[in-house]
Amino acid sequence: MAQTDTFTRWSVIASGEGGGRIASQFFDRTENPGIDDRILVMNTNRADLRNTIDRLKSKLGATEEEDVIESHALEFGSQQGAGNFFPNGEACAREDLDRIVNRITEFGTTDAFMHVATLGGGTGNGSIPYVVDQFKDGLSDLNEDNAAEEWMDSVIHATVGVWPYYYEQPQRHFNAVCGLSRLLRTDDDEQNADMVLLASNSHLDDENGAAGQYDSINEAIITAVDLMIGAGRETRSVIDIKDYVTIPSQMDAYHFTPAVATDLNGSIYELEYMLDQAAEGAFVPMDVETTTAAYAIVRAPERMIDEGEITEPEVYEAFREWTGKNDINVAGQASLTPKRGRGSDVDVLLLLGGFDLNPLLDHSWDDFEMLSDSLAGRSRSGGVDLTTAQLDRIVDNLESYVERNAE
């Protein structure tokens, strides 16, 4: 992939098979401005990692598995899988934290990480919250004075967490609830990730698990990430990752969901209508009126911008009217960013933050409570324990965060 000049230098860290599926789709694109080829996929299970490597080999044109492993893949931990139990995934990451950090630092200086995991499993769901916490805590578990390089102090950590299908087994919903809590809050009830982007499989997939369903879901996620990053690499009304995280973190409302509408005819539709279309495409079940932070990115062909068919003031005004119409008083910004081409197709991304999480959690909470007593405080052969105190802390942290954002 060609290197390009960017305002922000991103690296993608994906863990678990689901995270690897999402990250591998970056390689379907001829270029990833802002990311380029700084992508690492990790797994605790060799067979699952090979599945991801096979996908990457075809996309990279590589002939040898070792070539992909050397540049983009890492097997970590000694357990050969997390057993669909997130504490095992965390233990594997703790065991091999030095190897994970070494591979990440090979990318060189990074301004922002995009950590990717599906929340129903054990590997990504267990390791990603831990890795984020360690980077923000100066890699304290390595017990080395110079473990954290100077550039790491200012890195922003955004995460993508994908909710399991609503029909999946209770264990996966137990993991998802715990994973969301751990992405949002540390054990000490401090903010963990700077931004938590949420998507729900069932909400994005109309066919509810038909063959090949992950491809369309993952492509939707990649499109949203591309639109989000794209707003920070052009000169027109730049919104960058620092804008996305600063005020929401101060508000303690830093969970978001993308809402996307693409290929809208900008010569026909009004901007406010296009924002409405995007809002209908939110990636999780939610009430838009509970949003407390919102960012709008409108991506239009350069021709339309150069010829004044879409202007920055019009985007700002449409966003202001849209928030007023929906009776939401939000912190946020709007941006107009160009794309190549001379057509009229306009893409719109709304990043909706601080919304009431209960409509999403309602799909999983019963399963979570059903398994809580059986999974906490009991020994699991060949793995690690989840103590009752640890689970209580996870629950308390999540409930207090959700309650603050549901008021």
Side-chain angles (χ1 to χ4, degrees), residues 136-192:
K136 297 188 73 173
D137 194 36
L139 301 173
S140 57
D141 280 1
L142 290 181
N143 295 317
E144 298 175 14
D145 291 339
N146 299 316
E149 298 182 18
E150 186 175 348
W151 60 267
M152 295 178 184
D153 293 339
S154 59
V155 170
I156 292 173
H157 295 270
T159 60
V160 175
V162 183
W163 212 257
Y165 280 99
Y166 303 149
Y167 62 76
E168 291 191 60
Q169 295 299 308
Q171 172 76 46
R172 298 185 65 79
H173 290 276
F174 176 87
N175 285 335
V177 171
C178 293
L180 175 59
S181 177
R182 293 164 59 250
L183 286 175
L184 291 167
R185 312 299 290 179
T186 67
D187 285 347
D188 298 329
D189 197 22
E190 301 291 334
Q191 180 176 349
N192 194 13

Short mmCIF file of all heavy atoms in Angstrom, two decimals, residues 136-192:
data_model
loop_
_atom_site.label_atom_id
_atom_site.label_comp_id
_atom_site.label_asym_id
_atom_site.label_seq_id
_atom_site.Cartn_x
_atom_site.Cartn_y
_atom_site.Cartn_z
N LYS A 136 -2.03 2.84 28.52
CA LYS A 136 -2.36 4.10 29.20
C LYS A 136 -1.74 4.18 30.59
O LYS A 136 -1.61 5.28 31.16
CB LYS A 136 -3.88 4.26 29.28
CG LYS A 136 -4.54 4.36 27.90
CD LYS A 136 -6.00 4.72 27.99
CE LYS A 136 -6.18 6.17 28.38
NZ LYS A 136 -7.60 6.59 28.32
N ASP A 137 -1.33 3.03 31.12
CA ASP A 137 -0.72 2.98 32.45
C ASP A 137 0.80 2.85 32.36
O ASP A 137 1.45 2.47 33.34
CB ASP A 137 -1.31 1.80 33.24
CG ASP A 137 -0.97 1.88 34.73
OD1 ASP A 137 -0.94 3.00 35.27
OD2 ASP A 137 -0.74 0.82 35.35
N GLY A 138 1.37 3.15 31.20
CA GLY A 138 2.82 3.11 31.06
C GLY A 138 3.41 1.73 31.04
O GLY A 138 4.59 1.54 31.38
N LEU A 139 2.61 0.72 30.61
CA LEU A 139 3.07 -0.67 30.52
C LEU A 139 3.62 -1.14 31.87
O LEU A 139 4.68 -1.77 31.96
CB LEU A 139 4.13 -0.81 29.42
CG LEU A 139 3.67 -0.40 28.02
CD1 LEU A 139 4.84 -0.42 27.03
CD2 LEU A 139 2.55 -1.31 27.53
N SER A 140 2.87 -0.88 32.92
CA SER A 140 3.34 -1.17 34.28
C SER A 140 3.59 -2.65 34.53
O SER A 140 4.46 -3.00 35.34
CB SER A 140 2.31 -0.65 35.30
OG SER A 140 1.03 -1.23 35.07
N ASP A 141 2.88 -3.53 33.85
CA ASP A 141 3.06 -4.96 34.10
C ASP A 141 4.38 -5.50 33.55
O ASP A 141 4.77 -6.63 33.88
CB ASP A 141 1.90 -5.76 33.48
CG ASP A 141 0.65 -5.72 34.35
OD1 ASP A 141 0.69 -5.07 35.40
OD2 ASP A 141 -0.36 -6.35 33.97
N LEU A 142 5.07 -4.73 32.73
CA LEU A 142 6.36 -5.19 32.23
C LEU A 142 7.48 -4.98 33.25
O LEU A 142 8.56 -5.56 33.11
CB LEU A 142 6.72 -4.45 30.93
CG LEU A 142 5.88 -4.82 29.70
CD1 LEU A 142 6.35 -4.04 28.48
CD2 LEU A 142 5.95 -6.32 29.42
N ASN A 143 7.22 -4.14 34.25
CA ASN A 143 8.20 -3.90 35.32
C ASN A 143 9.56 -3.49 34.76
O ASN A 143 10.61 -3.94 35.23
CB ASN A 143 8.36 -5.16 36.20
CG ASN A 143 7.09 -5.49 36.94
OD1 ASN A 143 6.43 -4.60 37.48
ND2 ASN A 143 6.73 -6.76 36.96
N GLU A 144 9.53 -2.66 33.75
CA GLU A 144 10.76 -2.15 33.15
C GLU A 144 10.68 -0.63 33.12
O GLU A 144 9.68 -0.06 32.69
CB GLU A 144 10.95 -2.68 31.73
CG GLU A 144 11.08 -4.20 31.66
CD GLU A 144 11.15 -4.69 30.21
OE1 GLU A 144 11.36 -3.85 29.32
OE2 GLU A 144 10.99 -5.90 30.00
N ASP A 145 11.76 0.02 33.54
CA ASP A 145 11.75 1.48 33.64
C ASP A 145 11.52 2.15 32.30
O ASP A 145 10.85 3.18 32.22
CB ASP A 145 13.07 1.97 34.23
CG ASP A 145 13.22 1.59 35.70
OD1 ASP A 145 12.18 1.32 36.33
OD2 ASP A 145 14.36 1.55 36.19
N ASN A 146 12.06 1.59 31.22
CA ASN A 146 11.97 2.22 29.91
C ASN A 146 11.06 1.46 28.96
O ASN A 146 11.23 1.52 27.74
CB ASN A 146 13.37 2.34 29.29
CG ASN A 146 14.30 3.20 30.12
OD1 ASN A 146 13.89 4.28 30.59
ND2 ASN A 146 15.52 2.73 30.33
N ALA A 147 10.09 0.72 29.54
CA ALA A 147 9.20 -0.09 28.69
C ALA A 147 8.36 0.79 27.77
O ALA A 147 8.15 0.47 26.59
CB ALA A 147 8.30 -0.96 29.55
N ALA A 148 7.87 1.90 28.29
CA ALA A 148 7.01 2.80 27.50
C ALA A 148 7.88 3.86 26.84
O ALA A 148 8.62 4.58 27.51
CB ALA A 148 5.96 3.45 28.39
N GLU A 149 7.81 3.94 25.52
CA GLU A 149 8.55 4.97 24.80
C GLU A 149 7.82 6.31 24.92
O GLU A 149 6.62 6.37 25.18
CB GLU A 149 8.71 4.56 23.34
CG GLU A 149 9.51 3.27 23.17
CD GLU A 149 9.72 2.90 21.72
OE1 GLU A 149 9.57 3.78 20.85
OE2 GLU A 149 10.03 1.72 21.45
N GLU A 150 8.56 7.38 24.71
CA GLU A 150 8.02 8.72 24.95
C GLU A 150 6.76 9.01 24.15
O GLU A 150 5.82 9.61 24.66
CB GLU A 150 9.11 9.76 24.64
CG GLU A 150 8.70 11.18 24.99
CD GLU A 150 9.83 12.17 24.79
OE1 GLU A 150 10.98 11.72 24.59
OE2 GLU A 150 9.56 13.38 24.81
N TRP A 151 6.71 8.54 22.89
CA TRP A 151 5.56 8.85 22.04
C TRP A 151 4.29 8.18 22.54
O TRP A 151 3.18 8.63 22.23
CB TRP A 151 5.83 8.44 20.59
CG TRP A 151 6.11 6.98 20.36
CD1 TRP A 151 7.33 6.39 20.32
CD2 TRP A 151 5.16 5.94 20.13
NE1 TRP A 151 7.21 5.03 20.09
CE2 TRP A 151 5.88 4.74 19.96
CE3 TRP A 151 3.77 5.91 20.04
CZ2 TRP A 151 5.26 3.52 19.71
CZ3 TRP A 151 3.14 4.69 19.80
CH2 TRP A 151 3.88 3.52 19.63
N MET A 152 4.41 7.14 23.34
CA MET A 152 3.23 6.42 23.82
C MET A 152 2.40 7.24 24.79
O MET A 152 1.21 6.97 24.96
CB MET A 152 3.65 5.10 24.48
CG MET A 152 4.31 4.11 23.54
SD MET A 152 4.81 2.60 24.41
CE MET A 152 5.64 1.70 23.08
N ASP A 153 3.01 8.23 25.44
CA ASP A 153 2.28 9.01 26.44
C ASP A 153 1.11 9.77 25.85
O ASP A 153 0.11 10.02 26.53
CB ASP A 153 3.23 10.01 27.12
CG ASP A 153 4.28 9.33 27.97
OD1 ASP A 153 4.05 8.16 28.36
OD2 ASP A 153 5.33 9.95 28.24
N SER A 154 1.22 10.17 24.58
CA SER A 154 0.18 11.00 23.97
C SER A 154 -0.70 10.24 22.99
O SER A 154 -1.55 10.84 22.33
CB SER A 154 0.82 12.20 23.26
OG SER A 154 1.73 11.75 22.26
N VAL A 155 -0.51 8.93 22.88
CA VAL A 155 -1.30 8.14 21.93
C VAL A 155 -2.76 8.09 22.37
O VAL A 155 -3.06 7.93 23.56
CB VAL A 155 -0.74 6.71 21.80
CG1 VAL A 155 -1.70 5.82 21.01
CG2 VAL A 155 0.60 6.73 21.09
N ILE A 156 -3.66 8.23 21.41
CA ILE A 156 -5.09 8.09 21.68
C ILE A 156 -5.52 6.67 21.35
O ILE A 156 -5.12 6.12 20.31
CB ILE A 156 -5.89 9.12 20.86
CG1 ILE A 156 -5.58 10.53 21.37
CG2 ILE A 156 -7.39 8.84 20.92
CD1 ILE A 156 -6.16 11.63 20.53
N HIS A 157 -6.33 6.08 22.21
CA HIS A 157 -6.75 4.69 22.04
C HIS A 157 -8.25 4.64 21.75
O HIS A 157 -9.08 4.84 22.66
CB HIS A 157 -6.43 3.88 23.30
CG HIS A 157 -4.96 3.75 23.56
ND1 HIS A 157 -4.21 2.71 23.06
CD2 HIS A 157 -4.09 4.56 24.23
CE1 HIS A 157 -2.95 2.86 23.43
NE2 HIS A 157 -2.85 3.99 24.14
N ALA A 158 -8.59 4.42 20.50
CA ALA A 158 -9.98 4.19 20.10
C ALA A 158 -10.19 2.69 19.96
O ALA A 158 -9.27 1.96 19.57
CB ALA A 158 -10.28 4.90 18.79
N THR A 159 -11.38 2.22 20.28
CA THR A 159 -11.67 0.80 20.18
C THR A 159 -12.95 0.58 19.39
O THR A 159 -13.86 1.41 19.40
CB THR A 159 -11.84 0.16 21.58
OG1 THR A 159 -12.92 0.80 22.26
CG2 THR A 159 -10.57 0.30 22.39
N VAL A 160 -13.00 -0.55 18.70
CA VAL A 160 -14.21 -1.01 18.03
C VAL A 160 -14.63 -2.30 18.70
O VAL A 160 -13.87 -3.27 18.74
CB VAL A 160 -13.98 -1.25 16.53
CG1 VAL A 160 -15.24 -1.84 15.88
CG2 VAL A 160 -13.58 0.03 15.82
N GLY A 161 -15.83 -2.32 19.26
CA GLY A 161 -16.37 -3.52 19.91
C GLY A 161 -17.66 -3.95 19.21
O GLY A 161 -18.57 -3.14 19.05
N VAL A 162 -17.71 -5.20 18.79
CA VAL A 162 -18.85 -5.71 18.02
C VAL A 162 -19.66 -6.68 18.88
O VAL A 162 -19.13 -7.67 19.38
CB VAL A 162 -18.39 -6.40 16.72
CG1 VAL A 162 -19.60 -6.84 15.90
CG2 VAL A 162 -17.51 -5.45 15.90
N TRP A 163 -20.95 -6.35 19.03
CA TRP A 163 -21.85 -7.14 19.88
C TRP A 163 -22.25 -8.42 19.16
O TRP A 163 -22.47 -8.43 17.96
CB TRP A 163 -23.11 -6.31 20.18
CG TRP A 163 -23.71 -6.60 21.52
CD1 TRP A 163 -24.81 -7.35 21.79
CD2 TRP A 163 -23.24 -6.10 22.77
NE1 TRP A 163 -25.07 -7.36 23.14
CE2 TRP A 163 -24.11 -6.60 23.77
CE3 TRP A 163 -22.16 -5.29 23.15
CZ2 TRP A 163 -23.94 -6.31 25.12
CZ3 TRP A 163 -21.98 -5.01 24.49
CH2 TRP A 163 -22.87 -5.51 25.46
N PRO A 164 -22.38 -9.54 19.90
CA PRO A 164 -22.78 -10.81 19.26
C PRO A 164 -24.23 -10.76 18.78
O PRO A 164 -25.02 -9.90 19.20
CB PRO A 164 -22.61 -11.84 20.39
CG PRO A 164 -22.73 -11.05 21.66
CD PRO A 164 -22.15 -9.70 21.36
N TYR A 165 -24.55 -11.67 17.88
CA TYR A 165 -25.95 -11.82 17.47
C TYR A 165 -26.81 -12.08 18.70
O TYR A 165 -26.41 -12.78 19.63
CB TYR A 165 -26.10 -12.99 16.49
CG TYR A 165 -25.70 -12.67 15.07
CD1 TYR A 165 -24.44 -13.03 14.58
CD2 TYR A 165 -26.57 -12.01 14.21
CE1 TYR A 165 -24.07 -12.74 13.28
CE2 TYR A 165 -26.22 -11.71 12.91
CZ TYR A 165 -24.96 -12.07 12.45
OH TYR A 165 -24.60 -11.76 11.16
N TYR A 166 -28.01 -11.55 18.69
CA TYR A 166 -28.88 -11.68 19.85
C TYR A 166 -29.25 -13.14 20.13
O TYR A 166 -29.54 -13.50 21.28
CB TYR A 166 -30.16 -10.86 19.66
CG TYR A 166 -29.92 -9.39 19.41
CD1 TYR A 166 -30.80 -8.64 18.61
CD2 TYR A 166 -28.81 -8.73 19.95
CE1 TYR A 166 -30.58 -7.29 18.38
CE2 TYR A 166 -28.59 -7.39 19.71
CZ TYR A 166 -29.47 -6.67 18.93
OH TYR A 166 -29.25 -5.34 18.69
N TYR A 167 -29.24 -13.99 19.11
CA TYR A 167 -29.62 -15.39 19.30
C TYR A 167 -28.46 -16.26 19.78
O TYR A 167 -28.65 -17.45 20.05
CB TYR A 167 -30.18 -15.97 17.99
CG TYR A 167 -29.20 -15.99 16.84
CD1 TYR A 167 -28.16 -16.92 16.77
CD2 TYR A 167 -29.29 -15.05 15.81
CE1 TYR A 167 -27.26 -16.93 15.72
CE2 TYR A 167 -28.40 -15.06 14.75
CZ TYR A 167 -27.39 -16.00 14.72
OH TYR A 167 -26.50 -16.00 13.67
N GLU A 168 -27.27 -15.71 19.89
CA GLU A 168 -26.12 -16.53 20.26
C GLU A 168 -26.21 -16.98 21.71
O GLU A 168 -27.02 -16.50 22.50
CB GLU A 168 -24.82 -15.76 20.00
CG GLU A 168 -24.55 -15.55 18.51
CD GLU A 168 -23.14 -15.03 18.26
OE1 GLU A 168 -22.18 -15.73 18.63
OE2 GLU A 168 -23.02 -13.93 17.68
N GLN A 169 -25.32 -17.93 22.06
CA GLN A 169 -25.37 -18.58 23.37
C GLN A 169 -25.13 -17.59 24.51
O GLN A 169 -24.42 -16.58 24.34
CB GLN A 169 -24.33 -19.69 23.43
CG GLN A 169 -24.59 -20.84 22.47
CD GLN A 169 -25.92 -21.50 22.77
OE1 GLN A 169 -26.19 -21.89 23.90
NE2 GLN A 169 -26.76 -21.63 21.76
N PRO A 170 -25.72 -17.86 25.68
CA PRO A 170 -25.58 -16.94 26.82
C PRO A 170 -24.14 -16.61 27.17
O PRO A 170 -23.85 -15.48 27.59
CB PRO A 170 -26.27 -17.70 27.96
CG PRO A 170 -27.30 -18.55 27.27
CD PRO A 170 -26.66 -18.97 25.97
N GLN A 171 -23.22 -17.57 27.01
CA GLN A 171 -21.82 -17.30 27.33
C GLN A 171 -21.28 -16.09 26.56
O GLN A 171 -20.52 -15.27 27.08
CB GLN A 171 -20.96 -18.53 27.02
CG GLN A 171 -19.46 -18.30 27.14
CD GLN A 171 -19.00 -18.27 28.57
OE1 GLN A 171 -19.39 -19.13 29.36
NE2 GLN A 171 -18.18 -17.29 28.93
N ARG A 172 -21.70 -15.97 25.30
CA ARG A 172 -21.20 -14.87 24.47
C ARG A 172 -21.78 -13.53 24.93
O ARG A 172 -21.12 -12.49 24.83
CB ARG A 172 -21.49 -15.15 23.00
CG ARG A 172 -20.78 -16.41 22.50
CD ARG A 172 -20.95 -16.65 21.03
NE ARG A 172 -20.32 -15.63 20.21
CZ ARG A 172 -19.02 -15.57 19.95
NH1 ARG A 172 -18.20 -16.47 20.47
NH2 ARG A 172 -18.53 -14.63 19.18
N HIS A 173 -22.98 -13.54 25.45
CA HIS A 173 -23.57 -12.30 25.96
C HIS A 173 -22.97 -11.94 27.32
O HIS A 173 -22.82 -10.75 27.63
CB HIS A 173 -25.09 -12.43 26.02
CG HIS A 173 -25.70 -12.46 24.65
ND1 HIS A 173 -26.00 -11.31 23.96
CD2 HIS A 173 -26.01 -13.49 23.82
CE1 HIS A 173 -26.49 -11.63 22.77
NE2 HIS A 173 -26.50 -12.95 22.67
N PHE A 174 -22.62 -12.94 28.09
CA PHE A 174 -21.89 -12.69 29.33
C PHE A 174 -20.57 -12.00 29.01
O PHE A 174 -20.20 -10.99 29.64
CB PHE A 174 -21.65 -14.01 30.06
CG PHE A 174 -20.81 -13.87 31.30
CD1 PHE A 174 -21.39 -13.57 32.53
CD2 PHE A 174 -19.43 -14.05 31.25
CE1 PHE A 174 -20.62 -13.43 33.67
CE2 PHE A 174 -18.65 -13.92 32.39
CZ PHE A 174 -19.25 -13.61 33.60
N ASN A 175 -19.83 -12.54 28.05
CA ASN A 175 -18.56 -11.93 27.64
C ASN A 175 -18.76 -10.50 27.15
O ASN A 175 -17.97 -9.61 27.46
CB ASN A 175 -17.91 -12.76 26.53
CG ASN A 175 -17.29 -14.05 27.02
OD1 ASN A 175 -16.91 -14.16 28.19
ND2 ASN A 175 -17.17 -15.03 26.14
N ALA A 176 -19.83 -10.28 26.37
CA ALA A 176 -20.04 -8.96 25.78
C ALA A 176 -20.28 -7.90 26.85
O ALA A 176 -19.72 -6.80 26.79
CB ALA A 176 -21.22 -9.01 24.81
N VAL A 177 -21.10 -8.21 27.83
CA VAL A 177 -21.37 -7.26 28.89
C VAL A 177 -20.08 -6.94 29.65
O VAL A 177 -19.77 -5.78 29.93
CB VAL A 177 -22.46 -7.79 29.84
CG1 VAL A 177 -22.58 -6.91 31.08
CG2 VAL A 177 -23.80 -7.88 29.12
N CYS A 178 -19.33 -7.99 29.98
CA CYS A 178 -18.06 -7.77 30.68
C CYS A 178 -17.08 -6.99 29.82
O CYS A 178 -16.35 -6.11 30.30
CB CYS A 178 -17.45 -9.11 31.09
SG CYS A 178 -18.37 -10.01 32.35
N GLY A 179 -17.04 -7.30 28.52
CA GLY A 179 -16.11 -6.62 27.62
C GLY A 179 -16.42 -5.15 27.49
O GLY A 179 -15.50 -4.31 27.48
N LEU A 180 -17.70 -4.82 27.39
CA LEU A 180 -18.07 -3.40 27.30
C LEU A 180 -17.63 -2.66 28.55
O LEU A 180 -17.06 -1.56 28.48
CB LEU A 180 -19.58 -3.26 27.09
CG LEU A 180 -20.12 -1.83 27.10
CD1 LEU A 180 -19.46 -0.98 26.02
CD2 LEU A 180 -21.64 -1.84 26.94
N SER A 181 -17.90 -3.24 29.71
CA SER A 181 -17.50 -2.60 30.96
C SER A 181 -16.00 -2.37 31.00
O SER A 181 -15.53 -1.29 31.39
CB SER A 181 -17.92 -3.47 32.15
OG SER A 181 -17.48 -2.90 33.37
N ARG A 182 -15.22 -3.35 30.58
CA ARG A 182 -13.76 -3.27 30.66
C ARG A 182 -13.17 -2.34 29.61
O ARG A 182 -12.10 -1.75 29.83
CB ARG A 182 -13.16 -4.67 30.57
CG ARG A 182 -13.52 -5.52 31.80
CD ARG A 182 -13.28 -6.99 31.59
NE ARG A 182 -11.90 -7.28 31.27
CZ ARG A 182 -11.50 -7.69 30.07
NH1 ARG A 182 -12.37 -7.86 29.08
NH2 ARG A 182 -10.22 -7.92 29.85
N LEU A 183 -13.83 -2.18 28.47
CA LEU A 183 -13.39 -1.17 27.51
C LEU A 183 -13.63 0.23 28.05
O LEU A 183 -12.82 1.14 27.83
CB LEU A 183 -14.12 -1.34 26.17
CG LEU A 183 -13.72 -2.50 25.28
CD1 LEU A 183 -14.64 -2.57 24.06
CD2 LEU A 183 -12.26 -2.37 24.82
N LEU A 184 -14.74 0.39 28.75
CA LEU A 184 -15.10 1.71 29.25
C LEU A 184 -14.33 2.10 30.51
O LEU A 184 -13.89 3.24 30.65
CB LEU A 184 -16.60 1.75 29.56
CG LEU A 184 -17.56 1.71 28.36
CD1 LEU A 184 -18.97 1.43 28.84
CD2 LEU A 184 -17.49 3.02 27.57
N ARG A 185 -14.17 1.16 31.44
CA ARG A 185 -13.63 1.49 32.76
C ARG A 185 -12.56 0.48 33.17
O ARG A 185 -12.66 -0.71 32.88
CB ARG A 185 -14.74 1.48 33.83
CG ARG A 185 -15.99 2.24 33.49
CD ARG A 185 -15.75 3.71 33.26
NE ARG A 185 -15.39 4.42 34.49
CZ ARG A 185 -15.13 5.73 34.52
NH1 ARG A 185 -15.14 6.44 33.39
NH2 ARG A 185 -14.82 6.32 35.66
N THR A 186 -11.55 0.96 33.87
CA THR A 186 -10.52 0.10 34.43
C THR A 186 -11.00 -0.50 35.74
O THR A 186 -12.07 -0.16 36.26
CB THR A 186 -9.23 0.89 34.68
OG1 THR A 186 -9.47 1.85 35.74
CG2 THR A 186 -8.78 1.63 33.42
N ASP A 187 -10.18 -1.37 36.31
CA ASP A 187 -10.52 -1.95 37.62
C ASP A 187 -10.71 -0.88 38.67
O ASP A 187 -11.49 -1.05 39.62
CB ASP A 187 -9.41 -2.92 38.07
CG ASP A 187 -9.44 -4.23 37.32
OD1 ASP A 187 -10.46 -4.50 36.63
OD2 ASP A 187 -8.46 -4.99 37.40
N ASP A 188 -9.99 0.23 38.54
CA ASP A 188 -10.08 1.33 39.50
C ASP A 188 -11.20 2.30 39.16
O ASP A 188 -11.26 3.41 39.74
CB ASP A 188 -8.76 2.09 39.57
CG ASP A 188 -7.61 1.21 40.04
OD1 ASP A 188 -7.87 0.29 40.84
OD2 ASP A 188 -6.46 1.43 39.61
N ASP A 189 -12.07 1.93 38.22
CA ASP A 189 -13.19 2.77 37.79
C ASP A 189 -12.71 4.10 37.20
O ASP A 189 -13.33 5.14 37.38
CB ASP A 189 -14.17 3.02 38.93
CG ASP A 189 -15.54 3.52 38.40
OD1 ASP A 189 -15.83 3.27 37.22
OD2 ASP A 189 -16.27 4.15 39.17
N GLU A 190 -11.60 4.05 36.47
CA GLU A 190 -11.13 5.19 35.68
C GLU A 190 -11.45 4.91 34.21
O GLU A 190 -11.69 3.76 33.81
CB GLU A 190 -9.63 5.39 35.84
CG GLU A 190 -9.18 5.64 37.27
CD GLU A 190 -9.65 6.99 37.79
OE1 GLU A 190 -9.86 7.90 36.96
OE2 GLU A 190 -9.80 7.13 39.02
N GLN A 191 -11.47 5.97 33.41
CA GLN A 191 -11.71 5.77 31.98
C GLN A 191 -10.62 4.89 31.39
O GLN A 191 -9.44 5.09 31.65
CB GLN A 191 -11.74 7.11 31.25
CG GLN A 191 -11.98 6.98 29.75
CD GLN A 191 -12.12 8.31 29.05
OE1 GLN A 191 -12.23 9.36 29.69
NE2 GLN A 191 -12.11 8.30 27.72
N ASN A 192 -11.01 3.92 30.57
CA ASN A 192 -10.03 3.08 29.90
C ASN A 192 -9.82 3.61 28.48
O ASN A 192 -9.07 4.55 28.28
CB ASN A 192 -10.46 1.61 29.91
CG ASN A 192 -9.31 0.68 29.52
OD1 ASN A 192 -8.15 1.09 29.49
ND2 ASN A 192 -9.61 -0.57 29.24
#
